[in-house]
Amino acid sequence: MHLTDKLYDTFIVDDRWKYLASGLKTTLIITFFAVIIGMVLGFLIAIIRATADRTGKLKIPNLLCKLYLTVIRGTPVMVQLLIIYYVIFASVRIDKTFVGILAFGLNSAAYVAEIVRSGIMSIDSGQFEAGACLGLNYRRTMLYIILPQAFKNILPALANECIVLLKETSVAGYIALEDLTKGGDIIRSLTYEAFLPLIAVALIYLILVITLSRLVTLLERRLQKSDRG
Amino acid sequence: MIEVKNLQKSFGDLHILKGITTTIEKGEKVVVVGPSGSGKSTFLRCLNRLEQPTGGTIIFEGEDLTKMSEKRLYEVRERMGMVFQHFHLFPHLTIRRNLTLAPTKLGIMSKEEADRSAAAMLEKVGLADKADAYPSQLSGGQKQRIAIARALVMNPDVMLFDEPTSALDPEMVGEVLALMKQLADEGMTMVVVTHEMGFAREVASRVLFMESGRIMEENEPEAFFTNPENPRLREFLSKVL
């Protein structure tokens, strides 16, 4: 069989490309919402952790956060996904995409939290003091002075976390979620031809990651305005 | 204006302040000198409770600072400006925003009022053309003048200076001291921790000498420098003058 025939057989017959298209859509949806959950929850955890470290308050929430980080970072994301689907939501019919978003979001939050916390810790304590001396309380100082600076410093690490998350969603097929990877796999099982669908899947991931990296570079450049000098 | 009674501060076993008692009157310019490790910076940082004293009282405008709630403390700090050795400007904000952030976020001024006030203050410190620059684009002396302007925008009753010229290149010390002298001439109440003896002699209404957590001698500058009584002060002056 010629390459063109193989291409035709893999992607065109029975509109098989649609497996990839709808898979891509699912992957993007899961990644997008998981990133949002991860960022929101991650920032929250990081702020609780940093506040506890700095002021000695929030002892119990801090303990819970530490426990959460230990468990989430100490177990594989795939196992977490399986547990959420087959154990936690075992007795309810639930949208698998939602399960995917939840699992990957909760997982990502742990990593985001540690990134953000390191960002907050990297800011000179003089910035907290300068805020305090102007009458800005801890919350305001955090919000207007510390977090904007921390965010700029950790942007590359956060972007990297998004990229990792995008790629990690490829295990979603284990709960029969038809994401991009699963889409390629379905085509493979239909055509008994592994090379083309899997390479296509890999290429799509690669393009997504490169695009993401580009966007981050642009954003970084914008944020770096205050560094000229 | 500030009444300090038997102020104590320990970090664990380390006893930094061993009972400081002094009163700072409105309009006074108090300069605190002493060898490093004498506790003079800690003393200054206790005055606005950046360090929590472990004993004694600080009465600021009638209220005991050491015992007030945190909420009240932040309100009181609006009336106490502080200038640090390392400036601590907000690097992610323009100079104008450095000045207007606190008054706008605290609801003291509208954005327009704050911008106007910031412009006036930048004019005063001679850096009106830097409003849209970022801190990283300024020299050390300019940064410190901005830090002073940032504190002044809050219209404080007292200004605390923690070694404001110690991190500056020698040629930039003059511009900062000149600005501080100008402030002093305008009647600002000031507490200054510094190694600049010339400034102490010229501007201070009273000079405090601190050594190992105590005030060893305090006097008006003329007597302080020409006729020191405490032998430790004499030794100190012989080294720095």
Side-chain angles (χ1 to χ4, degrees):
Chain A
M1 229 186 342
H2 285 296
L3 183 65
T4 43
D5 295 334
K6 279 187 181 175
L7 279 170
Y8 183 78
D9 199 34
T10 303
F11 299 116
I12 310 298
V13 174
D14 297 338
D15 281 343
R16 282 173 187 156
W17 60 273
K18 282 187 176 165
Y19 288 112
L20 292 183
S22 75
L24 173 62
K25 195 176 139 205
T26 306
T27 291
L28 289 178
I29 288 173
I30 294 176
T31 306
F32 180 76
F33 288 105
V35 162
I36 291 177
I37 292 179
M39 291 290 164
V40 172
L41 195 59
F43 266 84
L44 217 65
I45 294 172
I47 291 169
I48 291 172
R49 298 268 293 112
T51 303
D53 286 352
R54 180 168 287 278
T55 65
K57 291 175 189 165
L58 302 175
K59 281 219 171 68
I60 299 201
N62 184 34
L63 214 65
L64 292 175
C65 288
K66 273 190 188 166
L67 183 70
Y68 182 80
L69 296 183
T70 307
V71 171
I72 295 288
R73 297 200 303 161
T75 54
V77 63
M78 207 180 92
V79 177
Q80 292 162 16
L81 178 71
L82 293 175
I83 289 176
I84 290 182
Y85 186 60
Y86 289 113
V87 180
I88 296 177
F89 291 121
S91 54
V92 275
R93 273 180 60 89
I94 190 155
D95 182 31
K96 283 177 195 152
T97 309
F98 173 75
V99 173
I101 290 170
L102 196 65
F104 292 112
L106 292 179
N107 178 269
S108 183
Y111 294 93
V112 170
E114 285 303 89
I115 294 170
V116 175
R117 191 169 75 95
S118 74
I120 294 173
M121 291 310 192
S122 74
I123 304 299
D124 181 27
S125 65
Q127 294 287 310
F128 280 98
E129 293 184 351
C133 288
L134 289 166
L136 298 170
N137 60 22
Y138 183 83
R139 189 181 59 82
R140 287 188 172 115
T141 301
M142 196 56 140
L143 204 58
Y144 303 126
I145 298 169
I146 306 302
L147 284 179
Q149 293 182 60
F151 182 72
K152 202 175 78 177
N153 292 350
I154 59 175
L155 193 64
L158 282 181
N160 193 46
E161 171 55 28
C162 291
I163 288 170
V164 169
L165 177 59
L166 170 73
K167 290 185 290 182
E168 267 182 353
T169 59
S170 61
V171 300
Y174 275 86
I175 59 166
L177 238 172
E178 290 182 11
D179 72 324
L180 177 57
T181 306
K182 187 74 176 177
D185 208 41
I186 291 172
I187 298 177
R188 182 185 61 79
S189 66
L190 291 172
T191 59
Y192 305 107
E193 157 65 49
F195 182 79
L196 282 177
L198 292 185
I199 291 297
V201 166
L203 265 178
I204 295 172
Y205 278 114
L206 187 62
I207 291 166
L208 288 177
V209 169
I210 291 173
T211 313
L212 261 175
S213 308
R214 281 276 163 79
L215 286 175
V216 174
T217 313
L218 282 178
L219 187 60
E220 266 181 75
R221 223 173 275 161
R222 251 187 68 90
L223 287 174
Q224 253 155 20
K225 257 196 324 192
S226 58
D227 288 342
R228 326 169 278 206
Chain B
M1 175 179 269
I2 309 179
E3 243 184 281
V4 183
K5 268 188 210 144
N6 193 28
L7 181 66
Q8 313 257 350
K9 173 68 186 175
S10 312
F11 293 98
D13 289 338
L14 203 62
H15 213 161
I16 305 284
L17 298 181
K18 299 169 185 163
I20 305 275
T21 301
T22 188
T23 301
I24 295 153
E25 300 294 345
K26 189 169 164 52
E28 252 198 309
K29 296 97 186 65
V30 176
V31 174
V32 185
V33 301
S36 52
S38 58
K40 53 193 193 305
S41 276
T42 307
F43 166 61
L44 193 75
R45 290 163 58 83
C46 281
L47 290 183
N48 63 359
R49 225 174 93 182
L50 274 186
E51 305 289 354
Q52 175 72 47
T54 38
T57 56
I58 300 168
I59 312 290
F60 174 66
E61 296 180 345
E63 289 174 273
D64 187 351
L65 234 132
T66 58
K67 291 183 184 65
M68 65 177 54
S69 71
E70 259 190 45
K71 187 168 174 293
R72 183 73 191 131
L73 176 65
Y74 283 110
E75 289 166 9
V76 167
R77 278 179 180 155
E78 293 172 19
R79 288 181 276 135
M80 308 178 96
M82 179 141 188
V83 175
F84 300 89
Q85 182 177 357
H86 295 288
F87 332 124
H88 300 325
L89 296 180
F90 307 133
H92 62 302
L93 301 176
T94 62
I95 298 306
R96 180 184 291 111
R97 199 69 189 118
N98 262 274
L99 269 61
T100 58
L101 181 77
T104 52
K105 294 298 180 193
L106 290 168
I108 298 170
M109 299 178 194
S110 70
K111 198 183 166 301
E112 291 72 29
E113 284 173 314
D115 278 346
R116 235 177 296 130
S117 176
M121 216 47 85
L122 287 177
E123 192 74 45
K124 179 187 175 110
V125 302
L127 292 168
D129 56 327
K130 301 291 185 193
D132 294 309
Y134 284 91
S136 61
Q137 296 167 291
L138 303 185
S139 73
Q142 290 174 330
K143 280 182 198 170
Q144 196 59 298
R145 280 147 69 197
I146 294 298
I148 293 171
R150 181 177 67 179
L152 289 176
V153 167
M154 296 295 289
N155 201 14
D157 296 340
V158 55
M159 288 280 286
L160 311 175
F161 293 85
D162 188 5
E163 304 202 23
T165 57
S166 298
L168 296 178
D169 290 339
E171 78 266 26
M172 293 170 183
V173 171
E175 58 188 86
V176 173
L177 291 181
L179 175 59
M180 289 168 63
K181 184 169 184 314
Q182 184 193 336
L183 261 185
D185 291 342
E186 288 166 8
M188 177 63 77
T189 310
M190 293 163 66
V191 184
V192 185
V193 170
T194 186
H195 296 289
E196 294 293 330
M197 296 303 150
F199 178 82
R201 192 189 280 260
E202 196 182 341
V203 178
S205 51
R206 181 157 52 108
V207 188
L208 306 186
F209 173 66
M210 280 185 69
E211 156 98 63
S212 48
R214 290 193 178 86
I215 297 177
M216 298 303 219
E217 182 155 347
E218 56 182 309
N219 215 331
E220 48 91 23
E222 187 56 31
F224 184 92
F225 287 106
T226 53
N227 200 5
E229 285 163 21
N230 188 291
R232 306 298 288 270
L233 173 57
R234 253 178 263 153
E235 189 193 331
F236 176 74
L237 288 177
S238 73
K239 280 180 195 157
V240 297
L241 287 181

